[in-house]
Amino acid sequence: ASGRMEKGIGCDINPHALEKGKKATENYVQSGGTAEISFQYAATMAEWPAAQQFDVVSLIDVLHHVPPKIQANFCTTCDQTR
């Protein structure tokens, strides 16, 4: 573990992806990782963790699901949620 992250939240619409993340976290902790990592189901941005600020937001395997006409607005909205 690098020790650079203190806390993380994983959000996904896919319960299988959340379970994989939880399993990876178990492995991380068993290998000495100390960051507090949690996972939560979120199908819409309205379901994202409320009243929290993030240093980094990573949208992996997301943008290609957003219609091209609204991708710019989607990215702006994500940026404004901090």
Side-chain angles (χ1 to χ4, degrees):
S2 69
R4 289 192 255 173
M5 183 175 80
E6 294 178 10
K7 184 176 181 181
I9 301 174
C11 299
D12 206 292
I13 191 171
N14 182 336
H16 179 69
L18 293 170
E19 287 304 315
K20 286 179 73 175
K22 289 176 185 177
K23 180 64 178 168
T25 299
E26 290 172 14
N27 294 337
Y28 163 78
V29 170
Q30 289 174 359
S31 67
T34 59
E36 177 186 332
I37 303 172
S38 63
F39 295 87
Q40 126 181 9
Y41 176 86
T44 67
M45 287 175 33
E47 296 175 284
W48 285 8
Q52 297 203 30
Q53 291 187 346
F54 301 95
D55 293 327
V56 176
V57 174
S58 178
L59 301 169
I60 300 170
D61 198 25
V62 172
L63 195 56
H64 69 278
H65 293 288
V66 177
K69 290 182 179 180
I70 64 168
Q71 285 180 355
N73 185 52
F74 174 80
C75 292
T76 300
T77 302
C78 291
D79 185 50
Q80 292 172 354
T81 60
R82 26 184 186 131

XYZ file of all heavy atoms in Angstrom:
624
model
N 0.836 -1.190 0.000
C 0.000 0.000 0.000
C 0.873 1.243 0.000
O 1.881 1.292 0.685
C -0.910 -0.004 1.219
N 0.467 2.240 -0.744
C 1.278 3.450 -0.879
C 1.137 4.376 0.318
O 1.990 5.208 0.559
C 0.884 4.197 -2.151
O -0.417 4.734 -2.011
N 0.036 4.281 1.056
C -0.181 5.162 2.190
C -0.643 6.547 1.809
O -0.757 7.417 2.649
N -0.934 6.783 0.557
C -1.341 8.119 0.113
C -2.833 8.372 0.277
O -3.260 9.493 0.340
C -0.950 8.335 -1.339
C 0.536 8.469 -1.505
C 0.851 8.964 -2.860
N 1.365 7.864 -3.648
C 1.625 7.919 -4.922
N 1.398 9.009 -5.591
N 2.112 6.889 -5.556
N -3.626 7.345 0.329
C -5.068 7.516 0.428
C -5.508 7.204 1.855
O -5.104 6.200 2.427
C -5.772 6.570 -0.551
C -7.269 6.737 -0.569
S -8.074 5.714 -1.826
C -8.117 4.136 -1.008
N -6.317 8.092 2.419
C -6.837 7.865 3.757
C -8.243 7.296 3.736
O -8.628 6.537 4.610
C -6.839 9.174 4.546
C -5.450 9.710 4.817
C -5.477 11.031 5.544
O -6.564 11.443 6.013
O -4.427 11.654 5.645
N -9.029 7.702 2.738
C -10.432 7.305 2.685
C -10.882 7.266 1.230
O -10.476 8.107 0.431
C -11.283 8.315 3.467
C -12.736 7.970 3.564
C -13.460 8.990 4.432
C -14.923 8.633 4.558
N -15.647 9.626 5.376
N -11.712 6.302 0.892
C -12.238 6.201 -0.463
C -13.659 5.682 -0.464
O -14.056 4.934 0.429
N -14.418 6.099 -1.450
C -15.793 5.626 -1.618
C -15.940 5.164 -3.057
O -15.660 5.919 -3.987
C -16.827 6.730 -1.334
C -16.688 7.261 0.093
C -18.244 6.202 -1.579
C -17.574 8.447 0.389
N -16.386 3.936 -3.234
C -16.664 3.411 -4.567
C -18.156 3.382 -4.800
O -18.901 2.842 -3.988
N -18.608 3.985 -5.866
C -20.032 4.001 -6.223
C -20.203 3.333 -7.583
O -19.417 3.577 -8.490
C -20.560 5.428 -6.311
S -20.455 6.348 -4.785
N -21.243 2.521 -7.705
C -21.496 1.866 -8.985
C -22.958 1.471 -9.070
O -23.630 1.296 -8.056
C -20.622 0.618 -9.142
C -20.365 0.281 -10.596
O -21.326 -0.110 -11.293
O -19.217 0.404 -11.041
N -23.418 1.328 -10.298
C -24.776 0.873 -10.558
C -24.848 -0.654 -10.580
O -25.900 -1.241 -10.450
C -25.293 1.471 -11.897
C -26.784 1.238 -12.063
C -24.512 0.917 -13.078
C -27.386 1.973 -13.244
N -23.692 -1.277 -10.702
C -23.610 -2.730 -10.861
C -23.242 -3.401 -9.529
O -22.114 -3.258 -9.063
C -22.560 -3.042 -11.929
C -22.429 -4.513 -12.219
O -22.743 -5.360 -11.402
N -21.932 -4.823 -13.406
N -24.171 -4.158 -8.928
C -23.869 -4.827 -7.657
C -22.664 -5.773 -7.752
O -21.903 -5.901 -6.798
C -25.151 -5.602 -7.344
C -26.224 -4.877 -8.080
C -25.559 -4.359 -9.333
N -22.467 -6.399 -8.909
C -21.321 -7.296 -9.092
C -20.007 -6.510 -8.991
O -19.045 -6.958 -8.362
C -21.420 -8.021 -10.441
C -20.273 -8.934 -10.724
N -20.057 -10.092 -10.027
C -19.257 -8.830 -11.615
C -18.957 -10.671 -10.489
N -18.456 -9.922 -11.454
N -19.968 -5.330 -9.590
C -18.774 -4.487 -9.511
C -18.509 -4.059 -8.072
O -17.354 -4.016 -7.629
C -18.932 -3.256 -10.408
N -19.565 -3.762 -7.331
C -19.400 -3.388 -5.923
C -18.820 -4.554 -5.118
O -17.946 -4.359 -4.276
C -20.733 -2.942 -5.329
C -21.299 -1.639 -5.912
C -22.721 -1.420 -5.431
C -20.414 -0.463 -5.545
N -19.288 -5.759 -5.385
C -18.762 -6.939 -4.685
C -17.294 -7.169 -5.022
O -16.502 -7.531 -4.150
C -19.605 -8.173 -5.008
C -20.958 -8.176 -4.331
C -20.866 -8.037 -2.810
O -20.027 -8.712 -2.177
O -21.640 -7.239 -2.248
N -16.936 -6.967 -6.294
C -15.524 -7.107 -6.683
C -14.662 -6.073 -5.953
O -13.552 -6.377 -5.503
C -15.372 -6.956 -8.197
C -15.860 -8.163 -8.979
C -15.720 -7.961 -10.467
C -14.275 -8.038 -10.879
N -14.094 -7.973 -12.337
N -15.174 -4.870 -5.821
C -14.453 -3.833 -5.098
C -14.281 -4.187 -3.629
O -13.207 -3.991 -3.055
N -15.330 -4.721 -3.036
C -15.248 -5.134 -1.628
C -14.219 -6.241 -1.450
O -13.446 -6.238 -0.488
C -16.619 -5.592 -1.135
C -17.606 -4.458 -0.980
C -18.978 -4.978 -0.576
C -20.001 -3.860 -0.546
N -21.356 -4.350 -0.234
N -14.187 -7.185 -2.375
C -13.215 -8.278 -2.303
C -11.791 -7.739 -2.455
O -10.880 -8.138 -1.725
C -13.521 -9.329 -3.379
C -12.580 -10.501 -3.384
C -12.668 -11.307 -2.109
C -11.751 -12.512 -2.177
N -11.586 -13.151 -0.890
N -11.601 -6.823 -3.382
C -10.282 -6.226 -3.570
C -9.855 -5.465 -2.310
O -8.679 -5.481 -1.936
C -10.285 -5.288 -4.779
N -10.814 -4.830 -1.640
C -10.513 -4.113 -0.403
C -10.096 -5.086 0.691
O -9.178 -4.804 1.464
C -11.718 -3.271 0.035
O -11.998 -2.316 -0.989
C -11.453 -2.543 1.338
N -10.755 -6.237 0.767
C -10.360 -7.251 1.745
C -8.906 -7.665 1.519
O -8.122 -7.773 2.469
C -11.268 -8.476 1.642
C -12.681 -8.236 2.125
C -13.599 -9.417 1.835
O -13.100 -10.517 1.495
O -14.823 -9.238 1.951
N -8.547 -7.878 0.265
C -7.161 -8.237 -0.068
C -6.204 -7.110 0.296
O -5.105 -7.345 0.799
C -7.036 -8.588 -1.553
C -7.803 -9.834 -1.921
O -8.087 -10.681 -1.072
N -8.157 -9.949 -3.183
N -6.615 -5.883 0.039
C -5.809 -4.702 0.358
C -5.547 -4.629 1.868
O -4.424 -4.404 2.302
C -6.559 -3.464 -0.152
C -6.119 -2.142 0.418
C -4.958 -1.530 -0.042
C -6.878 -1.498 1.389
C -4.564 -0.295 0.465
C -6.487 -0.272 1.896
C -5.332 0.325 1.439
O -4.946 1.536 1.937
N -6.582 -4.825 2.666
C -6.432 -4.767 4.121
C -5.550 -5.914 4.616
O -4.684 -5.721 5.464
C -7.821 -4.785 4.812
C -7.696 -4.977 6.310
C -8.576 -3.494 4.497
N -5.750 -7.097 4.052
C -4.938 -8.251 4.456
C -3.460 -8.046 4.140
O -2.596 -8.608 4.806
C -5.451 -9.529 3.796
C -6.771 -9.991 4.362
C -7.343 -11.186 3.610
O -6.770 -11.681 2.648
N -8.501 -11.645 4.053
N -3.171 -7.221 3.123
C -1.772 -6.975 2.769
C -1.218 -5.727 3.454
O -0.155 -5.238 3.092
C -1.622 -6.873 1.245
O -2.286 -5.720 0.764
N -1.959 -5.200 4.438
C -1.456 -4.086 5.227
C -2.026 -2.724 4.901
O -1.613 -1.729 5.491
N -2.967 -2.651 3.979
C -3.576 -1.366 3.627
C -4.365 -0.799 4.792
O -5.011 -1.540 5.532
N -4.308 0.505 4.968
C -4.972 1.125 6.112
C -6.047 2.141 5.737
O -6.691 2.693 6.617
C -3.931 1.827 7.009
O -3.254 2.823 6.236
C -2.935 0.839 7.575
N -6.241 2.411 4.473
C -7.255 3.389 4.067
C -8.650 2.857 4.377
O -8.911 1.660 4.299
C -7.138 3.702 2.580
N -9.538 3.749 4.727
C -10.936 3.416 4.971
C -11.663 3.472 3.624
O -11.798 4.540 3.031
C -11.545 4.432 5.939
C -13.005 4.225 6.206
C -13.596 5.347 7.054
O -12.850 5.953 7.850
O -14.796 5.609 6.894
N -12.113 2.328 3.136
C -12.746 2.260 1.827
C -14.133 1.650 1.982
O -14.301 0.597 2.598
C -11.914 1.414 0.839
C -10.498 1.991 0.737
C -12.584 1.380 -0.531
C -9.544 1.134 -0.060
N -15.131 2.316 1.412
C -16.500 1.806 1.452
C -17.075 1.813 0.035
O -16.529 2.436 -0.870
C -17.373 2.657 2.380
O -17.464 3.982 1.901
N -18.179 1.115 -0.132
C -18.816 0.997 -1.444
C -20.306 1.239 -1.288
O -20.903 0.845 -0.294
C -18.559 -0.393 -2.039
C -17.104 -0.624 -2.322
C -16.263 -1.125 -1.341
C -16.563 -0.298 -3.548
C -14.915 -1.308 -1.578
C -15.218 -0.470 -3.793
C -14.393 -0.981 -2.810
N -20.882 1.871 -2.300
C -22.305 2.166 -2.240
C -22.918 2.109 -3.630
O -22.305 2.535 -4.611
C -22.488 3.516 -1.555
C -23.258 4.540 -2.261
C -23.345 5.850 -1.484
O -22.703 6.070 -0.470
N -24.153 6.733 -2.001
N -24.117 1.579 -3.703
C -24.877 1.538 -4.943
C -25.322 2.957 -5.281
O -25.804 3.694 -4.422
C -26.101 0.632 -4.768
C -26.991 0.608 -5.985
C -26.726 -0.269 -7.034
C -28.084 1.443 -6.082
C -27.535 -0.301 -8.160
C -28.898 1.419 -7.206
C -28.618 0.549 -8.237
O -29.416 0.524 -9.341
N -25.138 3.349 -6.532
C -25.589 4.663 -6.986
C -25.934 4.562 -8.473
O -25.054 4.440 -9.308
C -24.519 5.724 -6.758
N -27.214 4.599 -8.777
C -27.665 4.518 -10.167
C -27.715 5.893 -10.828
O -27.684 5.996 -12.049
C -29.041 3.863 -10.236
N -27.799 6.941 -10.028
C -27.846 8.303 -10.566
C -26.934 9.193 -9.736
O -26.559 8.851 -8.614
C -29.273 8.893 -10.517
O -29.633 9.080 -9.136
C -30.288 7.997 -11.198
N -26.613 10.357 -10.267
C -25.771 11.288 -9.510
C -26.464 11.737 -8.237
O -25.806 12.072 -7.252
C -25.388 12.469 -10.391
C -24.364 12.056 -11.419
S -23.877 13.287 -12.666
C -23.956 14.815 -11.880
N -27.792 11.720 -8.225
C -28.537 12.097 -7.016
C -28.273 11.115 -5.878
O -28.466 11.454 -4.711
C -30.032 12.151 -7.318
N -27.811 9.920 -6.204
C -27.523 8.906 -5.182
C -26.061 8.901 -4.738
O -25.669 8.082 -3.919
C -27.908 7.523 -5.707
C -29.392 7.374 -5.972
C -29.726 6.041 -6.598
O -29.467 5.868 -7.804
O -30.229 5.173 -5.868
N -25.249 9.799 -5.277
C -23.853 9.889 -4.861
C -23.796 10.302 -3.404
O -24.740 10.918 -2.886
C -23.113 10.908 -5.709
C -22.792 10.445 -7.097
C -23.210 9.301 -7.701
C -22.006 11.131 -8.062
N -22.725 9.240 -8.983
C -21.981 10.346 -9.221
C -21.326 12.332 -8.042
C -21.287 10.732 -10.358
C -20.642 12.709 -9.176
C -20.628 11.915 -10.320
N -22.691 10.030 -2.733
C -22.558 10.428 -1.325
C -22.792 11.930 -1.162
O -22.200 12.735 -1.871
C -21.117 10.070 -0.986
C -20.755 9.011 -1.976
C -21.514 9.341 -3.222
N -23.674 12.283 -0.244
C -24.059 13.683 -0.058
C -23.064 14.429 0.825
O -22.422 13.840 1.690
C -25.447 13.750 0.573
N -22.972 15.712 0.594
C -22.211 16.633 1.444
C -20.776 16.174 1.683
O -20.281 16.245 2.791
C -22.942 16.850 2.763
N -20.138 15.682 0.649
C -18.748 15.270 0.780
C -17.921 15.939 -0.301
O -18.417 16.216 -1.386
C -18.620 13.754 0.662
C -19.354 13.041 1.758
C -18.795 11.654 1.980
O -17.627 11.408 1.763
N -19.643 10.763 2.432
N -16.679 16.182 0.003
C -15.755 16.719 -0.976
C -14.736 15.646 -1.304
O -14.351 14.856 -0.443
C -15.050 17.956 -0.433
C -15.968 19.133 -0.282
C -15.195 20.391 0.092
O -14.044 20.334 0.481
N -15.840 21.531 -0.054
N -14.322 15.631 -2.555
C -13.373 14.630 -3.026
C -12.199 15.320 -3.694
O -12.378 16.289 -4.425
C -14.047 13.678 -4.024
C -15.236 12.953 -3.443
C -16.513 13.436 -3.624
C -15.053 11.796 -2.713
C -17.605 12.770 -3.083
C -16.131 11.128 -2.164
C -17.412 11.612 -2.351
N -11.017 14.815 -3.446
C -9.835 15.321 -4.125
C -9.761 14.783 -5.544
O -9.259 15.438 -6.445
C -8.567 14.926 -3.368
C -8.479 15.610 -2.012
O -8.947 16.751 -1.891
O -7.938 14.989 -1.087
N -10.259 13.560 -5.745
C -10.215 12.911 -7.049
C -11.539 12.185 -7.284
O -12.052 11.507 -6.388
C -9.068 11.880 -7.130
C -9.099 11.142 -8.449
C -7.725 12.548 -6.917
N -12.075 12.335 -8.479
C -13.243 11.570 -8.904
C -12.849 10.873 -10.192
O -12.390 11.502 -11.139
C -14.479 12.458 -9.143
C -15.618 11.647 -9.713
C -14.893 13.148 -7.853
N -13.012 9.570 -10.221
C -12.641 8.787 -11.398
C -13.886 8.110 -11.951
O -14.582 7.396 -11.230
C -11.598 7.730 -10.990
O -11.261 6.946 -12.094
N -14.174 8.363 -13.204
C -15.324 7.747 -13.875
C -14.789 6.738 -14.875
O -14.458 7.077 -15.993
C -16.165 8.816 -14.583
C -16.728 9.915 -13.698
C -17.311 11.034 -14.540
C -17.768 9.352 -12.765
N -14.698 5.495 -14.436
C -14.149 4.440 -15.274
C -15.292 3.692 -15.948
O -16.234 3.270 -15.287
C -13.288 3.473 -14.429
C -12.142 4.249 -13.785
C -12.781 2.314 -15.274
C -11.370 3.471 -12.760
N -15.201 3.538 -17.248
C -16.213 2.812 -18.016
C -17.592 3.469 -17.895
O -18.594 2.813 -17.708
C -16.265 1.351 -17.569
C -16.943 0.452 -18.594
O -16.954 0.803 -19.789
O -17.480 -0.596 -18.197
N -17.612 4.804 -17.985
C -18.864 5.541 -17.812
C -19.204 6.394 -19.029
O -20.303 6.313 -19.565
C -18.808 6.452 -16.561
C -20.030 7.358 -16.477
C -18.684 5.621 -15.296
N -18.268 7.224 -19.462
C -18.574 8.268 -20.436
C -19.167 7.726 -21.735
O -20.048 8.354 -22.321
C -17.329 9.110 -20.732
C -17.578 10.432 -21.442
C -18.568 11.295 -20.673
C -16.273 11.172 -21.645
N -18.741 6.561 -22.175
C -19.283 6.040 -23.435
C -20.759 5.632 -23.301
O -21.426 5.398 -24.295
C -18.430 4.878 -23.961
C -18.511 3.643 -23.137
N -17.755 3.474 -21.991
C -19.250 2.526 -23.278
C -18.029 2.287 -21.479
N -18.937 1.696 -22.232
N -21.281 5.569 -22.079
C -22.702 5.280 -21.861
C -23.554 6.558 -21.892
O -24.776 6.483 -21.941
C -22.920 4.576 -20.514
C -22.333 3.213 -20.459
N -22.864 2.136 -21.145
C -21.250 2.739 -19.788
C -22.139 1.062 -20.897
N -21.148 1.398 -20.081
N -22.898 7.713 -21.833
C -23.594 8.995 -21.830
C -23.757 9.446 -23.281
O -22.780 9.476 -24.029
C -22.796 10.047 -21.023
C -23.484 11.399 -21.072
C -22.598 9.577 -19.586
N -24.979 9.797 -23.691
C -25.184 10.241 -25.078
C -24.243 11.393 -25.437
O -24.057 12.319 -24.638
C -26.647 10.698 -25.097
C -27.291 9.939 -23.982
C -26.225 9.809 -22.929
N -23.622 11.344 -26.629
C -22.648 12.367 -27.029
C -23.144 13.799 -26.866
O -22.375 14.678 -26.500
C -22.360 12.037 -28.496
C -22.618 10.569 -28.598
C -23.771 10.304 -27.664
N -24.416 14.035 -27.124
C -24.943 15.401 -27.055
C -24.909 15.978 -25.642
O -24.941 17.200 -25.485
C -26.375 15.458 -27.590
C -26.465 15.248 -29.084
C -27.890 15.363 -29.563
C -27.946 15.165 -31.062
N -29.313 15.275 -31.586
N -24.861 15.131 -24.619
C -24.868 15.658 -23.248
C -23.585 15.348 -22.470
O -23.494 15.607 -21.275
C -26.105 15.174 -22.460
C -26.082 13.660 -22.275
C -27.393 15.651 -23.110
C -27.118 13.171 -21.266
N -22.562 14.817 -23.151
C -21.326 14.472 -22.455
C -20.660 15.688 -21.808
O -20.201 15.615 -20.672
C -20.349 13.771 -23.399
C -20.740 12.340 -23.681
C -19.771 11.649 -24.621
O -18.833 12.245 -25.148
N -20.011 10.371 -24.845
N -20.606 16.810 -22.505
C -19.964 18.006 -21.947
C -20.706 18.465 -20.692
O -20.091 18.774 -19.672
C -19.899 19.115 -22.978
N -22.035 18.495 -20.760
C -22.838 18.897 -19.605
C -22.665 17.902 -18.450
O -22.579 18.286 -17.288
C -24.313 19.024 -19.984
C -25.138 19.553 -18.833
O -24.816 20.579 -18.252
N -26.195 18.833 -18.500
N -22.594 16.621 -18.768
C -22.383 15.585 -17.760
C -21.072 15.829 -17.015
O -21.021 15.804 -15.781
C -22.384 14.210 -18.423
C -22.040 13.075 -17.498
C -22.992 12.550 -16.648
C -20.768 12.541 -17.487
C -22.684 11.506 -15.790
C -20.438 11.493 -16.644
C -21.404 10.964 -15.797
N -20.007 16.091 -17.755
C -18.698 16.325 -17.135
C -18.708 17.592 -16.283
O -18.143 17.616 -15.186
C -17.612 16.401 -18.201
S -17.319 14.814 -19.013
N -19.369 18.632 -16.766
C -19.476 19.873 -15.992
C -20.244 19.628 -14.704
O -19.860 20.094 -13.635
C -20.166 20.968 -16.832
O -19.386 21.199 -18.002
C -20.312 22.258 -16.046
N -21.325 18.878 -14.788
C -22.127 18.562 -13.607
C -21.310 17.757 -12.602
O -21.370 18.019 -11.400
C -23.398 17.791 -14.005
O -24.147 18.589 -14.920
C -24.263 17.479 -12.791
N -20.540 16.795 -13.079
C -19.680 16.019 -12.177
C -18.699 16.922 -11.471
O -18.460 16.773 -10.271
C -18.913 14.940 -12.957
S -19.948 13.627 -13.593
N -18.135 17.877 -12.185
C -17.164 18.805 -11.605
C -17.812 19.701 -10.555
O -17.193 20.052 -9.569
C -16.519 19.632 -12.705
C -15.420 20.526 -12.176
O -14.533 20.019 -11.449
O -15.452 21.726 -12.465
N -19.075 20.056 -10.757
C -19.747 20.972 -9.848
C -20.272 20.286 -8.594
O -20.726 20.958 -7.679
C -20.902 21.672 -10.569
C -20.429 22.620 -11.638
C -21.559 23.170 -12.466
O -22.707 22.772 -12.338
N -21.234 24.101 -13.344
N -20.199 18.970 -8.516
C -20.712 18.273 -7.345
C -19.737 18.317 -6.190
O -20.026 17.840 -5.117
C -21.058 16.799 -7.665
O -19.886 16.129 -8.111
C -22.160 16.710 -8.683
N -18.572 18.924 -6.383
C -17.622 18.970 -5.270
C -17.848 20.099 -4.372
O -18.449 20.916 -4.173
C -16.182 19.016 -5.692
C -15.891 19.573 -6.999
C -14.416 19.458 -7.298
N -14.253 20.164 -8.522
C -13.351 21.060 -8.760
N -12.499 21.376 -7.862
N -13.254 21.661 -9.904
